[in-house]
Amino acid sequence: MDDEWHRVPERGRAAGGGRALALVVAAMLAAAAFLGFRGELPGWPTGGPDTSPALSEPVRQLDPVAVARVVQPALVNISTSSHSSGPGAAGSGIVLTPDGQVLTSHHVVKGAEIVTVTDVGNGLEYDATVRGYDSGADIALLELGNAADLVIATIGTSSDLRMRDEVLAIGNAGGTGGTPTAIAGSITNLNSTIVALNSADLSRKPLSNMLEVAGAVSSGQSGGALADRNGAVVGVITAASGEPEPEMGRTANGYAVPIDAAMRVVEQIRSGTPTDTVHIGPTATLGILISNAEPAGTGARVDVAIYGMPAYAAGIVTGDVITGIDGHTVTTAQSLRAALNMRRPNDTVGLAVTGSGHVQRTIPVVLTVGPPN
């Protein structure tokens, strides 16, 4: 099973099976799609402010075959699943250490309970755990069990990239495993802003300071490498936008997180110190689906309390509004998520809850292990 994200025609009709219409945001940000096994959504890129050098500078060319030969052995193919919904996403990863630290996109492992990795260099399969992630930056760090002597990627720097530099996007195209697919293209923006849509849960995520590449990046390459002419990794492939059919009149594009930004997240995870955005270790969960309460700024509304999960067991029901956690005010769904990001499974939190009839109560809840948010 493989769905590919492509651009839909401007008239708004679907452009083939498994595709969905992208939302055009008023701010004219680019609408792009995370690259995942469960399907990719179309978009219309406009890019962010162009702060790059003039296009008259000489193009730095690369040999796609030679670069692919260098990069491929340091990549992995990733597949995920959950006990409740079965097979999930498929993507790629970049090997950072011989003992199995792997850099990938957060959305590849989002919601996953089981992560399986096949190393391209040696062909072996490993069980992987999510060591940490930053969902806002769309970066995650995996750790492979019982791995040793893996071929590691050469990590370059994104700060030296210039407009029109040729790069190679390489990863598990189509989510089918096997030999990674390499797509050559040139840098068309060094500071692109996009809105990425995830067809798995229809969530939208703004991403800024992205590298934009003129190339038909495809499904499953998420988490893979954007490499320069020397075979050094300069970005982590994240999203795609564009319609490959020439009659659509638009050029396919890919987007990548600059490697300098990605490695800052990796170092934060390795430090073991969580932040409001960087989560370390297993994910703690209440077992609820939430949205912003009305009126705005009054808390996080419980849309669903999942049966058998901690919040449900503590008596929290649909319609309750969480207004505080451990004495700190909760104003939005995001502020509750940020607070939980700092917690670990088996931590006990005190929730301030307003129920029907505006009855307020404080409820202790023991968090449990959940999939990456």
Side-chain angles (χ1 to χ4, degrees):
M1 174 181 178
D2 173 42
D3 291 327
E4 219 175 308
W5 290 344
H6 294 312
R7 182 187 310 282
V8 295
E10 293 186 11
R11 294 187 299 276
R13 66 175 176 83
R19 301 174 188 170
L21 178 65
L23 300 179
V24 181
V25 295
M28 295 302 293
L29 301 176
F34 286 135
L35 306 181
F37 183 73
R38 289 171 286 193
E40 298 169 9
L41 300 173
W44 292 262
T46 62
D50 182 6
T51 58
S52 56
L55 292 179
S56 59
E57 293 190 8
V59 178
R60 295 188 282 185
Q61 297 181 333
L62 88 169
D63 180 339
V65 174
V67 172
R69 188 181 300 118
V70 170
V71 178
Q72 280 183 358
L75 298 181
V76 300
N77 298 326
I78 299 173
S79 61
T80 71
S81 62
S82 67
H83 299 301
S84 58
S85 59
S92 307
I94 303 162
V95 180
L96 298 181
T97 65
D99 59 354
Q101 287 188 14
V102 171
L103 171 62
T104 189
S105 298
H106 165 261
H107 73 267
V108 170
V109 297
K110 180 182 179 182
E113 295 176 301
I114 301 170
V115 181
T116 304
V117 167
T118 301
D119 183 75
V120 175
N122 61 24
L124 298 179
E125 185 175 284
Y126 303 90
D127 293 328
T129 57
V130 180
R131 182 164 171 173
Y133 55 86
D134 184 334
S135 61
D138 197 32
I139 291 296
L141 182 65
L142 309 184
E143 188 147 6
L144 310 188
N146 302 314
D149 301 323
L150 302 184
V151 176
I152 64 173
T154 299
I155 302 301
T157 178
S158 46
S159 63
D160 291 339
L161 290 173
R162 299 183 302 192
M163 288 284 286
R164 294 175 57 199
D165 276 355
E166 292 189 341
V167 289
L168 195 71
I170 180 168
N172 178 18
T176 58
T179 302
T181 298
I183 303 294
S186 59
I187 298 288
T188 53
N189 200 318
L190 297 170
N191 186 25
S192 186
T193 297
I194 66 174
V195 173
L197 295 98
N198 190 331
S199 66
D201 56 11
L202 300 182
S203 61
R204 290 179 290 173
K205 184 184 298 295
L207 296 170
S208 58
N209 303 315
M210 304 288 287
L211 302 174
E212 181 180 275
V213 180
V217 175
S218 61
S219 171
Q221 287 185 306
S222 269
L226 189 71
D228 66 12
R229 58 178 179 162
N230 299 314
V233 177
V234 294
V236 181
I237 302 168
T238 296
S241 176
E243 184 63 51
E245 289 86 350
E247 62 268 20
M248 301 315 330
R250 293 182 181 270
T251 302
N253 294 287
Y255 298 89
V257 177
I259 195 63
D260 295 352
M263 291 305 295
R264 284 194 291 270
V265 175
V266 168
E267 292 306 321
Q268 184 68 43
I269 295 170
R270 286 171 172 171
S271 77
T273 304
T275 69
D276 286 349
T277 60
V278 176
H279 181 83
I280 309 294
T283 302
T285 185
L286 287 164
I288 55 177
L289 303 181
I290 56 176
S291 60
N292 291 332
E294 295 292 343
T298 58
R301 183 186 187 276
V302 177
D303 298 321
V304 177
I306 301 172
Y307 177 79
M309 298 296 279
Y312 182 95
I316 295 175
V317 298
T318 298
D320 281 348
V321 176
I322 298 173
T323 59
I325 179 170
D326 293 336
H328 299 282
T329 301
V330 170
T331 57
T332 63
Q334 181 55 39
S335 66
L336 178 58
R337 294 188 186 102
L340 292 172
N341 201 53
M342 304 287 287
R343 270 64 174 187
R344 294 181 180 273
N346 299 318
D347 286 352
T348 299
V349 296
L351 299 180
V353 180
T354 300
S356 60
H358 300 287
V359 176
Q360 299 180 352
R361 61 199 194 275
T362 299
I363 304 173
V365 182
V366 180
L367 303 175
T368 191
V369 177
N373 294 324

